[in-house]
Amino acid sequence: MSTQKHARQQYGDVHESEAIRIPEEKAEQLVDALNTDLAATYVLYHQVKKHHWVVEGAEFRDLHLYLDEVAADLEEGADLLAERAQALGGVPLSGGANFEEHAPVTPEGKDVYDIRTSLENDLEMFGDITETLREHIQLANNLGDYNTEELLRDILADVEEHGHHLEHYLEDDTLVSQGTLE
């Protein structure tokens, strides 16, 4: 446990960066948006990681590997979001309970579901995050923070790509038999 008596910076406080030179009131809005995206990303990360751990069936190996790739991409995006929030003078959100509290998405329950239901839940969350990222890209543009806008665009491209791939996994055309053998 830390022996430090006072926090160097309180969560929610934003200190203007002399290097970036975005006014504090604009930086506060941007840090809030980035922390929202960070929270949503980590909620989705943990859900995808759960599906990676529990996937079964004929398509196990492909899905197991793909979901691990998705989780790695989400974790990389989360790191970039947190570092940008800090660069803007804010405190990046941390902690599982804090992520769930601040995220605009809701994770599925604790139970294990069939893989189709699990992927549908992931796809729904990817769609919700896509919408939020687009709003925050516009916010960053409106506030003149083109680096945050660019960062969010890059993350959006990954989120959309993974959502698109999930749609393909969920299509009904498959080589795997859906019926029972008699």
Side-chain angles (χ1 to χ4, degrees), residues 12-121:
D13 289 350
V14 175
H15 302 154
E16 192 167 334
S17 167
E18 288 194 36
I20 295 178
R21 297 190 181 183
I22 291 179
E24 191 174 316
E25 59 278 355
K26 289 182 179 181
E28 287 174 358
Q29 293 177 62
L30 292 161
V31 168
D32 184 55
L34 289 164
N35 274 328
T36 297
D37 296 333
L38 177 62
T41 300
Y42 265 123
V43 169
L44 178 56
Y45 165 84
H46 287 287
Q47 181 169 293
V48 166
K49 203 64 174 168
K50 172 184 141 184
H51 297 156
H52 160 78
W53 295 325
V54 301
V55 65
E56 295 178 339
E59 296 162 326
F60 159 79
R61 186 167 173 13
D62 287 343
L63 282 169
H64 180 75
L65 294 173
Y66 177 66
L67 292 171
D68 203 33
E69 177 188 320
V70 172
D73 287 349
L74 290 168
E75 189 171 33
E76 182 180 329
D79 190 55
L80 294 170
L81 292 164
E83 288 179 359
R84 184 62 182 170
Q86 189 279 327
L88 288 169
V91 176
L93 187 65
S94 65
N98 291 326
F99 290 138
E100 283 199 30
E101 179 184 332
H102 288 88
V105 294
T106 304
E108 69 181 22
K110 298 180 223 175
D111 300 327
V112 173
Y113 304 96
D114 65 86
I115 192 59
R116 179 166 286 280
T117 299
S118 296
L119 294 179
E120 287 169 349
N121 291 341

Side-chain angles (χ1 to χ4, degrees), residues 140-164:
N141 179 276
N142 292 343
L143 295 176
D145 183 358
Y146 306 116
N147 283 336
T148 296
E149 178 185 2
E150 179 83 15
L151 170 75
L152 294 174
R153 284 182 187 279
D154 290 345
I155 291 170
L156 176 62
D158 285 343
V159 167
E160 285 184 353
E161 181 179 359
H162 285 307
H164 179 67

Side-chain angles (χ1 to χ4, degrees), residues 165-177:
H165 289 165
L166 287 176
E167 282 181 322
H168 282 285
Y169 273 114
L170 290 167
E171 291 295 334
D172 62 358
D173 188 20
T174 180
L175 295 174
V176 178
S177 175

